[in-house]
Amino acid sequence: MKIYKSIEEFNSYKDNLHDLTFVPTMGNLHKGHISLINFAKKFKTGIIATIFVNKLQFNDKSDYQNYPKTLDEDIDLLEKHGCDHLLIPDDSILDNIDQISASSKATKLCGMSRPGHFDGVLTILNKFFEIIEPQSVIFGKKDYQQLILVKEFVEKKDLNISIIGCDTVRERSGLALSSRNNLLSREEKLLAPLINKTLEQLKNKKNKLNKSLLIKKAKYLSSKGFIVDYIEACDTESLEETFEIDKKDILIAIAAKLGNVRLIDNILLQKL
Ligand code: PAF
């Protein structure tokens, strides 16, 4: 795997690179990221990953400062799993960066409590797209809202890039893999799978889906110690609230905190 520690270093090599499949990350890699690398292999192109903890997308300074960093292990993992190129820029990538404003979909779900978060995500991704010029970019569906916003951004800007979503990888307990799981205490780690359990229960009751059922589930999670940010049923494209499962597929998305650790997850319910 070739490692580039600056944009300049990458640019000096770029003429040798074509048709790249790109896996953007903030490091602290786990099996979820590796599943993205493995998915990227299907394209039979060169694979490039980035590791950059993007301060523009953090609302909370301490969340940014505490974001787990495991660079040596990340490099080993990427190498072991067949990533070809790794770009690790420093904060100078943010100098004079074009600020991107996400669409109004960014104000829903996670955007309600993380204003500006998706502007920060799109701002850094736009920069990476300019530098890397990838053919395809792979994202995890755990960050469903991010995936939708990136797809929309690429379409609106008419960029010739395929945006691909990969299924969420879970622990045996059902807990969605996330770098933030490393910040959970032992007790919190035992509670965290309740988020996925709640989503599965809602899937099993999808023919009775309504607001009061979601409120009941939120109260249950609160009673177990979660600080629930939202549990929402929404349209898979517009992210507008809907319960019309007889007419279309519906996304159920949850964000909840255990202690200081914010966890998100979602499930897609097929139309009845
Ligand atoms: O999903 C993430 O890890 C980040 O939002 C991303 C896409 C790497 C942008 O910083």
Side-chain angles (χ1 to χ4, degrees):
M1 182 171 72
K2 182 134 181 53
I3 300 178
Y4 314 88
K5 293 207 167 137
S6 69
I7 308 302
E8 292 70 33
E9 200 183 339
F10 177 77
N11 281 342
S12 69
Y13 199 80
K14 195 173 164 183
D15 284 350
N16 305 309
L17 304 174
H18 306 282
D19 302 339
L20 290 171
T21 302
F22 172 31
V23 179
T25 85
M26 297 206 295
N28 193 235
L29 304 183
H30 50 65
K31 286 184 190 150
H33 297 106
I34 298 311
S35 77
L36 306 183
I37 297 287
N38 286 336
F39 195 88
K41 286 179 193 159
K42 295 188 186 156
F43 294 86
K44 308 229 175 301
T45 66
I47 302 173
I48 180 162
T50 50
I51 295 180
F52 181 65
V53 185
N54 170 31
K55 65 164 93 130
L56 302 181
Q57 69 188 76
F58 286 82
N59 312 78
D60 181 343
K61 207 171 169 192
S62 71
D63 191 22
Y64 168 65
Q65 281 161 346
N66 294 331
Y67 201 82
K69 291 174 194 70
T70 48
L71 187 58
D72 291 344
E73 291 88 335
D74 293 349
I75 291 174
D76 286 351
L77 259 185
L78 289 170
E79 208 138 33
K80 190 169 145 210
H81 289 275
C83 183
D84 303 302
H85 306 271
L86 172 62
L87 171 59
I88 318 172
D90 61 28
D91 272 351
S92 65
I93 191 175
L94 303 178
D95 294 349
N96 304 318
I97 196 164
D98 285 341
Q99 299 288 340
I100 306 294
S101 295
S103 77
S104 59
K105 285 181 199 176
T107 60
K108 303 181 188 308
L109 304 177
C110 287
M112 291 183 295
S113 60
R114 305 189 73 190
H117 166 69
F118 292 109
D119 296 344
V121 170
L122 292 182
T123 297
I124 194 66
L125 287 175
N126 181 51
K127 182 76 182 181
F128 278 133
F129 293 170
E130 281 170 9
I131 297 165
I132 296 171
E133 298 183 88
Q135 193 180 65
S136 314
V137 189
I138 319 279
F139 294 90
K141 287 186 189 162
K142 180 171 77 69
D143 297 293
Y144 187 90
Q145 189 174 12
Q146 168 172 279
L147 175 66
I148 289 288
L149 282 160
V150 178
K151 272 190 181 161
E152 185 189 47
F153 172 73
V154 163
E155 271 161 30
K156 271 197 186 143
K157 246 191 135 186
D158 206 13
L159 300 177
N160 192 16
I161 302 176
S162 310
I163 301 298
I164 293 145
C166 280
D167 287 342
T168 302
V169 181
R170 300 180 180 282
E171 291 189 356
R172 278 174 65 176
S173 65
L175 175 64
L177 295 194
S178 162
S179 303
R180 289 200 161 88
N181 294 353
N182 291 334
L183 302 171
L184 294 168
S185 68
R186 260 173 64 157
E187 294 73 26
E188 289 165 348
K189 192 87 197 274
L190 291 172
L191 279 173
L194 274 180
I195 293 186
N196 174 246
K197 222 172 171 178
T198 302
L199 290 168
E200 290 291 343
Q201 286 165 351
L202 287 166
K203 185 177 175 182
N204 292 335
K205 287 194 177 166
K206 68 176 180 180
N207 51 345
K208 294 195 181 111
L209 193 66
N210 59 46
K211 186 92 185 169
S212 61
L213 183 59
L214 297 188
I215 293 172
K216 209 168 131 191
K217 293 293 178 198
K219 280 190 180 150
Y220 175 71
L221 288 175
S222 304
S223 75
K224 292 287 173 189
F226 288 86
I227 300 160
V228 180
D229 187 357
Y230 62 79
I231 302 190
E232 290 214 12
C234 53
D235 182 277
T236 55
E237 287 300 320
S238 70
L239 306 181
E240 295 286 351
E241 184 176 68
T242 178
F243 295 96
E244 296 187 314
I245 187 80
D246 50 327
K247 298 209 176 96
K248 55 189 172 186
D249 294 350
I250 284 187
L251 182 87
I252 308 281
I254 297 187
K257 266 177 145 183
L258 274 175
N260 286 325
V261 186
R262 189 171 187 278
L263 301 170
I264 60 169
D265 203 352
N266 62 70
I267 201 165
L268 188 73
L269 310 187
Q270 305 281 347
K271 169 177 173 283
L272 287 176

